[in-house]
Amino acid sequence: MNERQRSRRPGGRSARVGAEVHQAVTDLISERGYGNFTVGEVAARAGVADSSIYRRWGSLETLLTDVALTRLNAQSPMPDTGSLAGDLRTYAAQVAREITGPDGLAVVRLAVALSGNGQQGLQAGADLRAERTRQLQSMLDRARDRGEHALDAFDVLDHILAPMYIRVLFGMVPLTPDYVDGLVDRML
């Protein structure tokens, strides 16, 4: 198999290694918290060489950002229900399930930590916010195109996501469907 064919093959060893490294990071954050492990420890937990991690991600901060973005994108994709209210309710419910799930607190802690850890962390946090804001904006743009009232992506972050994240960080769970719908209702 030539290099070109190998790069097109979905899944395979590369996908498995990526998933194992991501799970190792999530587990280490759950056990030790942000900043309390090294690339070497991630590699050992995932059963790969440190050089594999550096070759693929370049740095621990880049790996951590990739883990957070991958989890957010996989577990909480932007819905398209045909109405802004439906999109926001569906999205908020997805986020609530994700951040209260088995690795949810670790992912929330990672997102928070990335935003305040020196220059690299500030950039990683900015990258994370920019990607999520871009995705939210696509949902809001669809609503505007349908003739619905245009909301600001930062308002969605402030009024729907932030309260859920704060509740999870401070152990104020569960995030009931009534609570999550109430956040959306107040936003609209």
Side-chain angles (χ1 to χ4, degrees):
M1 175 182 290
N2 67 35
E3 190 65 32
R4 188 172 179 163
Q5 289 170 320
R6 189 173 317 157
S7 66
R8 288 186 181 174
R9 186 181 71 198
R13 185 179 189 288
S14 180
R16 184 176 41 77
V17 167
E20 289 169 355
V21 169
H22 278 216
Q23 190 60 52
V25 166
T26 303
D27 292 346
L28 286 165
I29 289 170
S30 292
E31 294 167 14
R32 301 182 190 175
Y34 177 82
N36 296 317
F37 55 88
T38 65
V39 167
E41 291 169 310
V42 172
R45 177 77 59 107
V48 301
D50 309 30
S51 59
S52 294
I53 292 175
Y54 284 114
R55 187 172 37 256
R56 188 167 183 173
W57 287 280
S59 71
L60 184 57
E61 293 295 328
T62 302
L63 169 59
L64 295 174
T65 302
D66 185 51
V67 168
L69 278 173
T70 299
R71 286 293 299 271
L72 287 171
N73 292 337
Q75 301 296 322
S76 304
M78 290 298 124
D80 188 359
T81 66
S83 74
L84 181 57
D87 290 351
L88 288 173
R89 277 184 182 34
T90 301
Y91 176 66
Q94 290 170 347
V95 171
R97 274 191 305 278
E98 167 63 11
I99 64 177
T100 59
D103 298 325
L105 181 57
V107 174
V108 171
R109 285 180 176 159
L110 174 58
V112 170
L114 283 170
S115 297
N117 185 36
Q119 192 58 38
Q120 269 190 319
L122 289 175
Q123 184 58 52
D127 292 346
L128 188 61
R129 281 188 311 277
E131 176 61 17
R132 210 44 168 169
T133 301
R134 183 192 65 72
Q135 293 170 347
L136 282 169
Q137 193 60 54
S138 71
M139 177 175 48
L140 298 172
D141 289 346
R142 279 195 316 268
R144 184 179 305 108
D145 292 345
R146 289 189 301 260
E148 295 181 78
H149 175 70
L151 297 174
D152 181 74
F154 286 108
D155 285 339
V156 175
L157 292 171
D158 287 343
H159 298 285
I160 297 175
L161 297 182
M164 290 193 295
Y165 278 49
I166 291 297
R167 283 181 170 246
V168 168
L169 283 170
F170 289 102
M172 300 165 58
V173 288
L175 300 177
T176 66
D178 287 341
Y179 172 76
V180 174
D181 283 346
L183 293 173
V184 173
D185 290 342
R186 285 188 291 282
M187 175 76 210
L188 296 173

